Every structure is written in structure tokens, then in C-alpha cells.
Amino acid sequence: MAPQTTFKQLELSQLRANKSNIRTELTDIEELADSIKAQGLLQPLLVTPHPEVEGDYLVIGGHRRLAASTAAGLLTVPCMVAEGFESLPEQIEAMLSENTHRSNLTVVEEADAYQQLLDFPGYTVEKIAKKTGRSPSTVRRRVALLAAGEQVLDAVKEQKIDLFQAEEIAKYAGEDDLVKDLTAAAESGQDWKWDSAKSRAEKTLQWRQEYPKVYEHLTKLGYDFIDEEEADSNAFKDVRPIDLPGLSWKPSELLKVTSRIIPADILAEHGKDGLRPSLNHRTQSVQWCVPAPKKEKVSAPEPTAEELAEKAARERAETALRIDRAAAQKYLEGLIQSPTKIKGTVHKALAFFLANSLTETTEYARLLGAELNDSDLSFVERREAYFDVFLAFTTDQLATAMALEVIGSSTGFKRLFQLDELSPTAWDFKLKQSKLGLLSEVYGLEESTGLRLAREYWEPALPDTGDAHAPAQVEDEVNF
């Protein structure tokens, strides 16, 4: 039954703001006060008799109008007095009904109000939906939004992220790292970052939900797990799932396995407990391992003086090369992170080329420090996403990343600073020398102590040049 209402002109001193007002922020009071001064208050307040103070009234709808009327200096305001709102739940229902069909109630305020009602005995989502005119699904989504946390709710209030993103983030309540990652991606305003973060979060949450079940399931089948550290040690070696018919690295597939499976060759070599699973949290998969073969120790003969000298020279060169590689890599990465020339036709063309380089594109992004999860993107979406990413870097940065990829990126770069790889007898010796030449001529990477020691190690002085030069001292730091 609808409450009975009567119109009254009430003094401001008789009106009390409702402590349970669902609107937490009253905005644009001064602007509304100016309008009231010019035209008067055109829309009455909705009030109900105060349950404790006779002659006073609680405001149900119109807290902003009440504040503006006070600021405008009014003594009385028009009010619709409604009977039947004695209880707090009834007052909250009325405030929701008054505000949700207007655009000035934020979704966070709406969600808080729904949760207040649910905290009262006898209130359900369906009852609230019926009372407020909202659908049950809307009420559920708004209440679920509160689980996203204060940072997300503040971002919604400040319109840094939209409602859809906030509701998506709320699904990961309790997973603080995922919530943080998703919130940062949403606030970036870049669709590819949001899609990438959402894809990572979905896969990570699925893994976190499934791996305890897999552990329990495989343990019951008789498998003995080893931890990640053991699986990565020299005591075990990996077995590819393709070599294990009936098994998999995917948790969802392993949950369907009904008995312990051990291939005949593994059973013969390692016994019934030879096949060991491990939960790999880095790759979010189950890793299968068998004991690595033990190497027999063979007593080596005493080295000669020449062998000891050769070993010492090798150690000096290898030590210097390790120092040089780290310094050189830091130097070149610094060049990538030091923009100079910003825009231009060449810049856009180069970004386009890198984005359309298929398998090399992800390596360019890694070198630039701008990796993205493209597993769920189509070819066209992937190309466009990388193109947008690369446009943020300068021409010099893109060119340097391209040069380092041609050199071989991390793997190829390491080979330039490994003693055996610098042997003149290596099949690609000239190619490596040309790469070092590029780094020297274009990027100013001069021959370091380690490279000089390597050259001296592989190219000793000719017989007619006299004694070889004394071994160079290895410096603790190498400046390029």
C-alpha cells in the first residue's frame, strides 16, 4: 500500500537530514543555491515525521535541495510529507526509489544502499528488486561491486574506470595482486592493456582454483609430487607430455585421469615411483619429471704446466667476458630507454614494420620493456595492438631494438661474450665479428678487456714477434 502524502510548507528548523542518506556526496550546492535565489525551490522535498522529535521531520528525498535552500537563506521550503516510513529499512527503500530513477545517484551509493537493506532481517535480493523497481540481476551486480575494494570503488566515483570494468574486477575479490593489475590496466584507458590483464587474471584464477584439486587428485592416484626447486635441479629432468600418453600438463585434463599411468620404459628404468609431477606456478602447468641419470666420477690425471697456464688464461678471459657482457647489456638497454628523435615518417614506418614482423614482434616488445599478452588476440588485433605500443617509442629506440634482435637478442648477445663462441675456427666467426663491429661503429661499444683477452687467447703472438704480451689485468668495472 502506497504511503499517504500531504503537502506542507515547513520551516528549515523543522527538517533533519537523514543519517542513513544513501547519497554520500552533495555536489554543486552553490550553483543550485543561486538558482533557488532566482526562481525559488521548484521541487518539494520528500519528508516523513521524525520518530523521536515531535514536530520535526526526517528528509527522505532532497538532501541536496535542503543544503542549497539553507545556503540560499530560505526560512521555509515546500515538502511532501509521507506517512509510513517509520523504520530505517523503509526509509532506505524510499531513498532508493527516489534516487535510482534519476541520474544523480552513483552506482557505489546504490550498491551501499542495497547492502544496508540486505543486512536487515527478511531482506533478499528479490525483495529489494521488487521494492525499488530494479531487476534482481542489477541488484546482485551492484552488491558484488562492493567486493572490489576501496581503490576500485574510488576509481569508479572518479570515473577513471567504467562500471563494466569494476564489476569484472569485483570477480577477483581476495586476489589482491590480480585486482591491482586489473585496476591499473583499466585506469590506463588502453583497451589492449585491459584485455591482456583480464586474460591473465582469468588464467591465473583458474590455475589457483584447479591446482589444489589436481594435487589432491594425483596424490590419491599414487603420484608423489616434488616441489619446483627440486624439479629445476640437476636431480631431475623433464618428460614431455607427448611422451606420456594419457597424461597432460593441463590441470583440467589431469582431473579426468582415473588411474596412475607410468609408461613401460619409465617403469623399467626408474620403477613405479619414477614418474614425479610438480606444480609449476610460473607456467601454471603440471611438470612431469624423472630422476636424472647419475654421472660417474672419473679421476682426471694431474694437469701439466702448460694445461694449468691455459686454464688460467681461459678463466681470466671468461671472467672478464662475464663482467663485460653485463656492462655491455646495461649500456645498450640504456640506449633503448633514452629517447632522442621522437616523430616522423620513418618513425611510423618503423613501428609498422616491427608490428608486422610475426615471430620477431614479441621480441621487439620484450627488448623495449612493453610486453603484452596477445594469446587471445586475432592476427589483425595483435598487429594493431603492437603498432600502438611501438608508436610510444622513439625512432632511435625502435632501431636499437631491431638491431639487437638481429644480433640475436639475449641468447645471441650472450654468445658474443662466450670464449668458445669467439674461436676463429667457429663456423660463424666472421658473422659474430660483424655484429661486434656494428655495436662498435653504431653504438660506440668499444673492445672491452674481456674481448681483448679472448682475442689474445685464440690468436697468440706469431713466432717472429718475440715474447707474448703479459696477461692483461681484469678490471672490476668496464666503462663503455
Side-chain angles (χ1 to χ4, degrees):
M1 181 177 177
Q4 298 296 318
T5 59
T6 56
F7 179 82
K8 288 185 179 182
Q9 192 78 13
L10 298 175
E11 295 180 5
L12 288 181
S13 60
Q14 293 178 273
L15 303 179
R16 299 284 182 267
N18 198 314
K19 294 181 180 179
S20 298
N21 180 24
I22 62 176
R23 294 195 62 188
T24 57
E25 297 180 10
L26 302 178
T27 59
D28 301 325
I29 299 299
E30 292 183 6
E31 183 179 344
L32 182 56
D34 291 339
S35 174
I36 292 173
K37 288 178 183 178
Q39 303 178 26
L41 183 60
L42 303 179
Q43 184 178 2
L45 280 64
L46 178 62
V47 300
T48 191
H50 198 290
E52 298 174 359
V53 183
E54 186 176 354
D56 283 359
Y57 297 84
L58 276 177
V59 177
I60 301 296
H63 287 83
R64 180 169 169 266
R65 277 167 277 155
L66 175 61
S69 297
T70 302
L74 298 187
L75 298 177
T76 63
V77 290
C79 298
M80 296 299 297
V81 181
E83 307 287 343
F85 292 131
E86 289 83 5
S87 71
L88 182 56
E90 288 172 328
Q91 294 169 19
I92 295 174
E93 285 178 16
M95 285 187 279
L96 275 168
S97 181
E98 162 102 0
N99 286 282
T100 52
H101 298 291
R102 298 163 58 190
S103 60
N104 57 0
L105 184 68
T106 69
V107 292
V108 177
E109 291 170 336
E110 185 182 352
D112 279 326
Y114 291 148
Q115 186 59 60
Q116 285 185 60
L117 288 176
L118 287 172
D119 290 339
F120 288 109
Y123 275 85
T124 64
V125 167
E126 288 70 21
K127 181 177 179 179
I128 294 173
K130 185 176 180 180
K131 291 281 188 179
T132 60
R134 289 290 202 182
S135 68
S137 63
T138 297
V139 176
R140 286 192 188 91
R141 292 203 318 273
R142 294 291 188 273
V143 173
L145 183 64
L146 298 176
E150 289 300 322
Q151 182 182 356
V152 176
L153 297 180
D154 289 343
V156 173
K157 292 177 185 176
E158 297 167 11
Q159 297 184 339
K160 292 181 179 179
I161 64 178
D162 60 39
L163 179 59
F164 167 77
Q165 291 171 325
E167 290 178 345
E168 185 68 25
I169 295 172
K171 296 177 183 177
Y172 299 92
E175 305 290 341
D176 294 344
D177 56 332
L178 302 184
V179 169
K180 182 179 179 180
D181 188 29
L182 286 165
T183 304
E187 290 182 347
S188 74
Q190 295 180 292
D191 290 343
W192 69 267
K193 283 189 176 180
W194 167 252
D195 292 338
S196 179
K198 188 169 68 168
S199 176
R200 286 197 304 272
E202 289 172 354
K203 292 176 181 176
T204 301
L205 183 60
Q206 182 180 3
W207 166 253
R208 291 176 182 177
Q209 291 172 341
E210 288 183 343
Y211 83 76
K213 299 176 185 176
V214 172
Y215 181 88
E216 182 180 1
H217 180 64
L218 293 182
T219 300
K220 287 181 179 179
L221 293 181
Y223 288 107
D224 186 13
F225 276 81
I226 56 175
D227 59 32
E228 281 187 86
E229 187 175 347
E230 286 181 287
D232 292 338
S233 69
N234 294 329
F236 290 91
K237 66 176 184 177
D238 292 348
V239 182
R240 299 178 303 170
I242 195 174
D243 296 327
L244 301 172
L247 295 177
S248 172
W249 56 270
K250 296 180 180 180
S252 57
E253 294 179 2
L254 288 171
L255 289 172
K256 300 174 183 177
V257 175
T258 57
S259 62
R260 183 160 60 150
I261 300 170
I262 305 176
D265 56 339
I266 293 179
L267 184 64
E269 183 176 357
H270 302 288
K272 64 182 181 66
D273 296 322
L275 186 61
R276 310 282 293 277
S278 174
L279 297 173
N280 192 319
H281 296 284
R282 296 190 305 275
T283 61
Q284 297 179 357
S285 64
V286 176
Q287 182 178 350
W288 293 94
C289 306
V290 293
K294 294 181 180 180
K295 296 180 180 179
E296 296 183 4
K297 293 184 179 180
V298 179
S299 299
E302 288 293 325
T304 63
E306 290 78 8
E307 288 173 338
L308 289 173
E310 192 274 341
K311 181 181 178 182
R314 168 177 282 274
E315 288 177 351
R316 282 195 300 273
E318 288 179 339
T319 300
L321 286 170
R322 282 195 296 272
I323 297 172
D324 294 349
R325 176 165 60 84
Q329 192 161 359
K330 183 178 180 180
Y331 170 76
L332 293 170
E333 287 175 354
L335 291 179
I336 293 180
Q337 302 301 325
S338 302
T340 52
K341 189 175 179 181
I342 305 298
K343 299 291 182 182
T345 305
V346 174
H347 169 259
K348 192 169 185 179
L350 189 56
F352 180 82
F353 173 80
L354 268 58
N356 287 270
S357 298
L358 300 178
T359 55
E360 292 86 0
T361 296
T362 53
E363 181 60 16
Y364 294 139
R366 188 194 69 79
L367 288 168
L368 291 163
E371 298 176 74
L372 69 94
N373 188 336
D374 58 6
S375 58
D376 295 330
L377 300 180
S378 67
F379 174 76
V380 174
E381 292 171 335
R382 178 181 183 275
R383 183 180 62 186
E384 292 176 349
Y386 276 111
F387 181 59
D388 289 339
V389 169
F390 293 148
L391 282 177
F393 295 89
T394 69
T395 304
D396 286 349
Q397 288 174 303
L398 297 178
T400 303
M402 185 177 177
L404 290 184
E405 198 285 327
V406 171
I407 287 172
S409 190
S410 58
T411 303
F413 191 74
K414 287 180 182 178
R415 293 180 63 203
L416 296 179
F417 290 87
Q418 290 176 350
L419 184 61
D420 290 332
E421 293 287 344
L422 294 172
S423 170
T425 60
W427 68 273
D428 59 347
F429 173 72
K430 290 185 177 180
L431 177 61
K432 295 194 191 81
Q433 293 303 307
S434 68
K435 290 179 178 179
L436 288 170
L438 170 69
L439 294 177
S440 174
E441 294 171 19
V442 178
Y443 298 107
L445 191 69
E446 299 177 359
E447 183 183 58
S448 60
T449 302
L451 292 173
R452 178 163 55 82
L453 286 172
R455 176 168 51 78
E456 292 175 355
Y457 179 84
W458 290 116
E459 298 178 358
L462 295 175
D464 59 352
T465 60
D467 294 336
H469 295 293
Q473 296 296 315
V474 178
E475 299 176 0
D476 290 336
E477 295 183 1
V478 179
N479 298 316
F480 295 95

